[in-house]
């Protein structure tokens, strides 16, 4: 079977929200699976000296805010700019890692559900109680998921994931890797599909 598509993302990324809704369907079309890899853009930006798109010079920030809305309309998805934005998502990522271990077949559903809630919000996606309630809708143990937010093993796992992302050159989200070829951004999905179809171009 062909290698899984590496999908690096942060729950706080608008473009990752958009890509997350369709990446699994795209992968399945070409006989691939998705390896969901949560990480923290804050750690990545600290490493690269970058910053969130909405914190860049005003002319850039306003463009990106407009583009978030336009890109969501193009994808036929709802979009409400969260307030506050951005937020920390370490708890959200730790719960995602917990689900990867406890019920890997539900990771994609969790990611789509949480990002949709955040960007059609408001939704307190980094709060353990909110996460517990979301996890319970998947038929899993909400209390155990909330406990993962403070679990040392999950903290270490997320730290290691961020370090791996930076070692691989990740500088934004979504970051999609197909057979060693990296693509940055929701707008690269047509290129990802062509690569999957042809084995490169």
């Amino acid at each position: 079977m062909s290698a899984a598509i590496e999908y690096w993302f942060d729950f706080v990324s608008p473009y990752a929200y958009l890509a997350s809704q369709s990446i699994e369907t795209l992968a399945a079309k070409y006989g691939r699976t998705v390896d969901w890899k949560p990480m923290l853009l804050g750690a990545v930006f600290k490493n690269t000296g970058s910053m969130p798109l909405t914190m860049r010079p005003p002319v850039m920030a306003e463009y990106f805010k407009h583009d978030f809305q336009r890109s969501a309309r193009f994808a036929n998805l709802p979009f409400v700019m969260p307030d506050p934005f951005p937020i920390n998502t370490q708890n959200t990522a730790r719960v995602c890692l917990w689900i990867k271990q406890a019920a890997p077949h539900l990771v994609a559903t969790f990611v789509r559900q949480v990002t949709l809630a955040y960007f059609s919000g408001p939704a307190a996606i980094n709060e353990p109680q909110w996460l517990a309630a979301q996890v319970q809708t998947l038929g899993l143990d909400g209390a155990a998921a909330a406990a993962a937010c403070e679990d040392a093993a999950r903290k270490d796992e997320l730290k290691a994931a961020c370090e791996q992302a930076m070692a691989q050159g990740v500088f934004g989200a979504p970051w999609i890797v197909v057979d060693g070829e990296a693509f940055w951004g929701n707008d690269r999905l047509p290129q990802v599909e062509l690569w999957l179809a042809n084995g490169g171009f």
Side-chain angles (χ1 to χ4, degrees):
M1 185 174 180
S2 300
I5 296 171
E6 290 184 29
Y7 184 75
W8 295 92
F9 69 101
D10 189 329
F11 288 89
V12 78
S13 165
Y15 293 127
Y17 152 58
L18 300 176
S20 294
Q21 308 305 313
S22 62
I23 187 66
E24 192 175 49
T25 300
L26 176 60
K29 181 178 177 181
Y30 296 95
R32 302 290 187 109
T33 57
V34 177
D35 184 5
W36 298 86
K37 291 182 168 290
M39 52 87 177
L40 302 177
L41 281 173
V44 169
F45 290 158
K46 185 176 180 179
N47 182 62
T48 61
S50 189
M51 65 184 69
L53 298 177
T54 56
M55 293 183 178
R56 297 190 181 189
V59 66
M60 298 176 69
E62 290 307 311
Y63 170 83
F64 285 120
K65 290 176 184 177
H66 177 75
D67 190 59
F68 297 157
Q69 299 276 357
R70 180 177 60 199
S71 297
R73 291 196 304 272
F74 184 75
N76 198 30
L77 290 168
F79 187 89
V80 175
M81 193 68 205
D83 184 21
F85 178 87
I87 60 170
N88 293 323
T89 54
Q90 71 274 15
N91 288 333
T92 326
R94 290 168 189 158
V95 170
C96 185
L97 291 171
W98 177 82
I99 295 174
K100 282 188 74 172
Q101 183 178 60
H105 62 290
L106 292 175
V107 172
T109 301
F110 174 76
V111 175
R112 289 193 299 266
Q113 183 172 301
V114 170
T115 54
L116 178 61
Y118 183 54
F119 288 104
S120 59
I125 66 168
N126 200 52
E127 295 298 322
Q129 288 185 325
W130 188 92
L131 289 163
Q134 292 298 307
V135 167
Q136 284 182 234
T137 69
L138 302 177
L140 300 176
D141 187 338
C149 297
E150 295 300 327
D151 182 72
R154 296 288 83 80
K155 290 182 178 182
D156 289 344
E157 188 178 2
L158 179 56
K159 181 180 179 182
C162 293
E163 291 172 349
Q164 183 187 359
M166 291 182 285
Q168 290 186 202
V170 174
F171 58 79
W175 190 269
I176 304 164
V177 183
V178 182
D179 301 330
E181 186 76 11
F183 301 85
W184 171 46
N186 174 65
D187 58 342
R188 292 298 183 268
L189 287 179
Q191 291 188 26
V192 170
E193 179 161 17
L194 186 60
W195 198 277
L196 288 167
N198 297 337
F201 56 83

